[in-house]
Amino acid sequence: MKQDTVLNFGAQLPTIPEGMWPFRITQAEVERNCRTAYGIRDRVALTYEFQIEGEEHLLRQRYLASNVPKSRLYEMVLALLGTPMGGSFDVVSLVGISGKAVITHNASESGDVYANINEIVDVDRDDAGVL
């Protein structure tokens, strides 16, 4: 992996182009007691590794911890595992899952542009839970 040592104080731009790209989840963790627009909540942070034209790109996506069927986390877990979350869920079970994800770019009012996973497709769960 290439070490990034440059600080850029201009608008943030994504390193992952829009499109459908192969990924593998390399890390999953729970971030406790985070300040959010909805108060203090737990979040799940997933690190996706993308291989694009022979280069590795990492994308860390955060999801509010929620098992409500319309939540982003619930929908993502359903897409990744093919089954809904229950009353208890170990996020490490997502590590090792690979597939393809649709990346879209979203711009903020300040001019920053972020790469986000819009959809998960073609999931391979054979290595799920492998650290």
Side-chain angles (χ1 to χ4, degrees):
M1 177 169 49
K2 179 181 161 187
Q3 184 176 3
D4 185 11
T5 57
V6 176
L7 293 174
N8 182 351
F9 295 105
Q12 178 173 321
L13 299 174
T15 59
I16 301 173
E18 289 188 308
M20 188 179 337
W21 304 106
F23 74 87
R24 179 178 168 88
I25 296 175
T26 59
Q27 189 175 7
E29 58 191 8
V30 176
E31 299 173 342
R32 302 281 182 194
N33 302 314
C34 302
R35 287 191 178 125
T36 73
Y38 306 102
I40 302 296
R41 300 278 303 273
D42 291 342
R43 291 188 305 209
V44 173
L46 299 180
T47 302
Y48 296 82
E49 178 183 292
F50 289 88
Q51 293 295 327
I52 302 172
E53 299 175 0
E55 289 189 29
E56 174 186 290
H57 297 271
L58 297 178
L59 178 61
R60 188 171 175 93
Q61 292 275 181
R62 289 182 172 90
Y63 307 90
L64 287 178
S66 174
N67 65 351
V68 174
K70 295 215 178 219
S71 72
R72 286 183 60 228
L73 178 64
Y74 185 95
E75 290 175 351
M76 192 63 59
V77 169
L78 185 59
L80 291 168
L81 294 179
T83 60
M85 291 186 295
S88 175
F89 179 71
D90 187 350
V91 298
V92 172
S93 64
L94 301 173
V95 173
I97 292 176
S98 59
K100 290 185 180 176
V102 176
I103 299 292
T104 58
H105 292 169
N106 300 69
S108 70
E109 290 181 15
S110 64
D112 292 332
V113 181
Y114 300 95
N116 290 295
I117 295 174
N118 189 47
E119 183 181 4
I120 299 287
V121 294
D122 299 331
V123 174
D124 179 6
R125 301 174 187 94
D126 290 339
D127 292 327
V130 176
L131 295 174

